[in-house]
Structure formats: structure tokens, C-alpha cells
Amino acid sequence: MPSIASVSGVSLPYKVKQQDVKAQARALFVEHFPQVDRLMPAFDNTEIVTRNFCKPISYYAEPNTFEQRNNDYIENALQYSIQAIEAALAKADVSKDDITDLIFVSTTGLATPSIDALIINKMRLNPHINRIPVWGLGCGGGVSGMAKANTLAKANPDALVLLVAVELCSLTLIKNDYSKSNFIGSSLFSDGIAAAIVKGDNHKTEEKIRVLAASSKLYYDSLEVMGWDFKDTGFKVLFSKDIPTFIHENIRGDIDAFLAKQNLELKDIKNFVFHPGGKKVLDAYADALQVEDDFLHNTRQVMNENGNMSSVTVLYVLEKFMEEGYEDGYGLMLAMGPGFSSEMVLLNMKN
């Protein structure tokens, strides 16, 4: 069973109060979007207190092109990925020269060569590293990335897999898109970068979190629930107000089916490492699963302090469990993404 040796999220330089984002969003939308004042409470309903941004808040009010924003994505993705990787390597007490595989997950920018190639070049990592750039899984990418790291480490017990997730959601903001989806997106999404180290069995290790199994599901006929619509001006966000309903109707059965394959039940899960999505999504999880106590406390806190960082968020939640403590027993990583899809990873977590 491969083990998770470390997770490290980056503290980006601009921690912005949600109320400051709210004021700027109103100023940008008010002239062209008559419903703006009716929708302003959306910023408060998220329960987000602060948001992570890779640029100062004034940047998002300035005129810019898709080309400029994407160039900023590449520059910042490379810089802060290296910062996260170096921290994860230090936590795991392993050398960069021992990395065998690099999985790079993102949905918020474009680069060819992909960012993983830029990382290897900049850090002078082993040029023979097996590279897997993963694009387009949205909020589900962090959990899917962990599942893929587990697959690689199972196939090669000598593997030392580096997982890097980068989402600079703020750089996708199209300033002159006055749609409701863009407005709601501006109340929720932010930036985050995290790295994780996953070891194969042949590594001498005292790691206490092991990956047991994974599940990926694509729901038929739900392509319009979440994603991007690509315009000349950039990435136009698409997501449906029915996401919480979709989760409520499907997630309990999907979790039960996944756990049953491992001869487990929901009551066996002690640690819930969930991607937050948003407050309504978390409420849908709570209502559907009916787990006692505040089982999503770490998830809520990460969202409140950082916003929704798409695929990266769940890795910040996992890091929080690893640093602040967890119960002995099983853990469940879960996230929903475009497609509409769900990603799950079962963990064995021992102190």
C-alpha cells in the first residue's frame, strides 16, 4: 500500500478579505448587471472570510487580455509550484533526485510544454522522470491526482511520486463577462498551489497514511453542470445551481457502493477529507450523509480561510489533517468535478 509522505500548500502573497472582493465586484458589475445588488448577499452566504490571490486585488480591475492572464498563469504556476515542491520534499525528508514520477494537475491555464516540463527544467530534476500532465478535471483533480499517484506507486514499489496541483482561478476572471455565473464565480473561487509526495512500498518509511483504493465516476448526461465555455476573451465559467441537488441525490449511494467493495460502511470512516465546493455543497454533503458532529470542520475552515481553490483545496484539507491531527481509522477523500463527476480515495490513517 503506497503511503502519503507529505503534503504542502503554498501561502500566496495576497490574502484578501472577502468584503474587499465584494466591494470591487460590485463596482465592476453595477453598470452592466442590473441584478447586482440583489445578488450581493452571495458573497456573505459563502461564509468565506479571506481569499488567496496570486495578484493584488487591483490587478483584477485593470484591462487585460487572455494572453496576458495566461502568461501570468505560467509565471506564477512555475514559481509557486517550486516553492510547494521544495516544502513537500523537506517534510518528507527525500531528495529531488529520487523523484520517479511527476503528476501535474490544473484546469485554469494553458501551457505547452506543460508546467511539469518547466518544473523539471527549472529545478534540474531527473530528466527521465515519468511525466503525467492532467488537465480539465476541475475541482475533482486533486483527489484524482492522488488516485493516479497511488496507481503509479502500486505499479512500481520503488516509485517516489510527486503530485503538484495548481489552480489560479482568479486569472480566469473575464472582466467584461457580466453573466450571473461569472458573478457567482467571483464570490467563491481563489488561487492555490500544493505538492504531495507518495511513496511506493520499497521505501523505508514510517508514514502513517496509506492509500487503499480509489473510485472515479462520470455521470451520464450531465456535461452542462460544470465546466468552461472557451471564448476569445478566455475561460468563461459554467456551473449549475443544481449542483447541491445533484450531490444530495447521488453521493450517499456512490459512497456506499465504493466502501462496500472494500467491505466497509460509512460508519467506518473517521476522517472526511472533502473538497468544499461552497457552503451549499457542504450543506448537501451534511444532509445526504447524516454523520454526527461537524465531520466537515477542516473542510469548512480551509474554505473559510482560502476560498474555493478548485482541485488544490482538498490537498490543503489533507495537509490540515496531517498537521493538526486525525482519528485512527479510515479516511475518505472526495471531490466533485466537471463531467459531472466524482472522485474518491480511501485512506488508512494511523497515529
Side-chain angles (χ1 to χ4, degrees):
M1 293 182 293
S3 59
I4 300 175
S6 67
V7 180
S8 184
V10 169
S11 296
L12 289 167
Y14 302 100
K15 199 83 163 180
V16 181
K17 293 179 181 178
Q18 176 76 327
Q19 293 306 307
D20 292 339
V21 183
K22 177 181 177 181
Q24 177 158 297
R26 186 186 186 281
L28 290 175
F29 275 82
V30 67
E31 184 178 348
H32 303 276
F33 191 60
Q35 306 175 64
V36 66
D37 286 321
R38 183 173 65 82
L39 293 176
M40 288 312 296
F43 279 83
D44 305 314
N45 295 340
T46 63
E47 297 185 353
I48 294 170
V49 179
T50 52
R51 308 256 293 276
N52 284 339
F53 293 132
C54 63
K55 292 285 189 179
I57 191 171
S58 58
Y59 170 94
Y60 306 100
E62 298 168 357
N64 50 51
T65 64
F66 172 46
E67 179 182 353
Q68 290 170 326
R69 296 195 304 275
N70 198 68
N71 286 339
D72 286 333
Y73 164 84
I74 294 171
E75 178 183 345
N76 284 271
L78 178 59
Q79 176 184 345
Y80 293 112
S81 288
I82 292 173
Q83 183 178 319
I85 291 165
E86 290 175 340
L89 290 170
K91 282 184 180 181
D93 193 24
V94 295
S95 168
K96 69 177 185 177
D97 298 326
D98 295 328
I99 297 170
T100 59
D101 304 84
L102 198 171
I103 301 170
F104 180 81
V105 173
S106 189
T107 304
T108 48
L110 302 172
T112 303
S114 47
I115 301 295
D116 46 289
L118 305 186
I119 291 169
I120 291 171
N121 189 67
K122 185 74 172 180
M123 294 186 70
R124 288 301 193 255
L125 302 181
N126 185 334
H128 300 287
I129 284 174
N130 174 40
R131 299 190 292 125
I132 304 179
V134 180
W135 197 91
L137 292 181
C139 295
V143 180
S144 179
M146 187 61 73
K148 288 171 173 53
N150 174 56
T151 298
L152 292 171
K154 270 188 173 180
N156 175 18
D158 292 321
L160 189 73
V161 184
L162 170 61
L163 168 64
V164 180
V166 172
E167 302 294 3
L168 303 181
C169 304
S170 71
L171 296 180
T172 67
L173 177 71
I174 300 176
K175 185 172 173 286
N176 61 353
D177 174 10
Y178 303 109
S179 66
K180 183 177 178 180
S181 286
N182 196 41
F183 180 85
I184 297 300
S186 72
S187 74
L188 187 63
F189 290 101
S190 56
D191 303 336
I193 298 179
I197 302 292
V198 177
K199 294 180 177 179
D201 281 346
N202 285 353
H203 289 271
K204 299 291 185 181
T205 181
E206 296 181 358
E207 266 66 62
K208 299 165 184 176
I209 299 181
R210 295 192 176 272
V211 184
L212 301 182
S215 171
S216 181
K217 181 175 181 180
L218 183 72
Y219 301 93
Y220 293 139
D221 304 321
S222 62
L223 301 178
E224 74 288 348
V225 172
M226 182 190 298
W228 295 122
D229 191 4
F230 296 99
K231 303 292 187 181
D232 290 341
T233 48
F235 296 27
K236 175 180 170 61
V237 66
L238 300 174
F239 52 83
S240 167
K241 62 179 173 43
D242 296 325
I243 290 174
T245 302
F246 198 98
I247 289 172
H248 189 274
E249 292 175 351
N250 291 279
I251 202 62
R252 178 60 189 263
D254 291 341
I255 291 175
D256 286 345
F258 172 52
L259 294 179
K261 292 180 180 178
Q262 315 304 320
N263 296 314
L264 298 173
E265 298 179 16
L266 184 61
K267 65 182 181 181
D268 297 314
I269 302 299
K270 304 300 182 185
N271 306 285
F272 292 83
V273 188
F274 280 29
H275 169 75
K279 181 182 181 299
K280 290 182 178 179
V281 169
L282 291 181
D283 290 345
Y285 284 139
D287 190 41
L289 300 183
Q290 295 292 304
V291 177
E292 293 183 1
D293 302 322
D294 187 7
F295 70 105
L296 295 175
H297 170 75
N298 283 344
T299 291
R300 290 183 189 277
Q301 191 166 345
V302 167
M303 184 183 70
N304 293 349
E305 294 174 359
N306 302 280
N308 182 342
M309 301 171 284
S310 191
S311 70
V312 184
T313 323
V314 75
L315 297 178
Y316 280 61
V317 177
L318 180 59
E319 181 184 26
K320 191 172 185 64
F321 273 97
M322 294 175 73
E323 292 190 345
E324 298 185 7
Y326 49 80
E327 287 190 55
D328 276 345
Y330 295 104
L332 181 65
M333 295 182 71
L334 183 145
M336 312 295 286
F340 196 53
S341 58
S342 67
E343 302 287 342
M344 289 185 274
V345 168
L346 180 65
L347 305 173
N348 188 10
M349 306 172 71
K350 293 185 178 179
N351 288 290

